[in-house]
Amino acid sequence: MPLRKPLQDELNAFHAEICGALADTRRIAILYELAEGPKAVGELVSALDVPQATVSRHLKVLRERQMVTAQRDGAHVIYALADERIIAALDLLREVMRDILSRRAALAQAMTLEAS
Amino acid sequence: MPLRKPLQDELNAFHAEICGALADTRRIAILYELAEGPKAVGELVSALDVPQATVSRHLKVLRERQMVTAQRDGAHVIYALADERIIAALDLLREVMRDILSRRAALAQAMTLEAS
DNA sequence: TTCATTTATTCGCCTATCCGAATATATACA
DNA sequence: TGTATATATTCGGATAGGCGAATAAATGAA
C-alpha cells in the first residue's frame, strides 16, 4: 500500500536533505577520511589541505544531519562516521560513476576514430 | 597507493555532481517512479502531480548526468533509469535515514518523559 | 589570570539552483 | 497545410549554499 502523498513528499524531502549533505566535494572527502577511522578536526584539515574554518563549516552540516558524530576530547574534537552505510552508498554511486565515465570515454574514442 | 590529490579532487567533484542530482525532492520522486519501469513524461507528471515544465527541467538534470535515458516514441519521450544501482544507493540512504529518525523519536520520547 | 592551541561561528559577497509563467519545438493526424 | 498533443526551453526573481576573512569560544598549561 503506497504512502499518503504528503507523507511521501516529506520523506523525499528528508531524503533529499541527506543526499544534499553528500553533494559537495569537500564533504565527500571528509566522509572518506572518516571512513578510515575517527579523526580530530586538525587531522582532517591537514589530510585534506583545506582551511580550518571550511572544514568546520562542513562538519557542522554533516553533524546537523547526523551523518557524523562529534566527541570532545580536551581541546580536540573527534569526529566519526555515524553510519557505515553512508560509505556503502557513496561507493555504490562511485561504481555508477565509473560506468558513466567509461561510456563517455568510449564515445570520445568512437568520435576520434570517425574523424580520422 | 592513493590517487594524486588533484585527480582525487576531480573524482570527488564528479561524485558530488552525481549526489547533487539526488539532492532534490522531485528528482528523488522521479527516480523512484522510474524504478517501477520506463515511463513517458506525461505519466510522470500525473503520477507526481507536478507541473510539466518542472518535470522536464528535472529530467534534463538527470539526463545530463546520465542517470536516466530518454527515448523518443512518436510524440512521447520514454524515460528509464540508466542504472539500478542508483536506486540501491537511494535505498541504502533511506535505511540510514530511518535510523536517524528513530534516534530523534527516541530523544523526543525521553524529553517528554523527563518533563512529566 | 594570561597565553597558546584547537575548534566554531559570523559577515559579506558571489554563484548555483529552484520555481512559475510563458514560449518554443516536435510529432501525429486531418 | 493547420491543429492538437506531448515535451523542452527560456526568463526573471527568490532562495540556498559556498567561500575567505575575521573573530569568538573552549580547553590546557604556565
Side-chain angles (χ1 to χ4, degrees), chain A residues 24 26-27 53-54 57-58 72 74-75:
Chain A
D24 179 275
R26 266 98 184 243
R27 287 197 293 270
T54 300
R57 264 186 271 113
H58 284 302
R72 186 168 275 283

Side-chain angles (χ1 to χ4, degrees), chain B residues 11-53:
Chain B
L11 280 180
N12 285 344
F14 190 26
H15 203 156
E17 225 179 90
I18 298 290
C19 292
L22 305 178
D24 179 276
T25 308
R26 269 110 183 231
R27 286 197 292 269
I28 288 177
I30 289 174
L31 289 169
Y32 274 110
E33 275 303 315
L34 293 180
E36 297 174 2
K39 297 209 164 116
V41 179
E43 295 181 86
L44 293 171
V45 169
S46 46
L48 305 178
D49 194 29
V50 163
Q52 177 267 320

Side-chain angles (χ1 to χ4, degrees), chain B residues 7 9 11 20 26 31 39 44 57 91 98 103 105 112:
Chain B
L7 184 52
D9 283 356
L11 280 180
R26 269 110 183 231
L31 289 169
K39 297 209 164 116
L44 293 171
R57 264 186 272 113
D91 282 343
R98 197 175 21 137
R103 274 200 299 276
T112 305

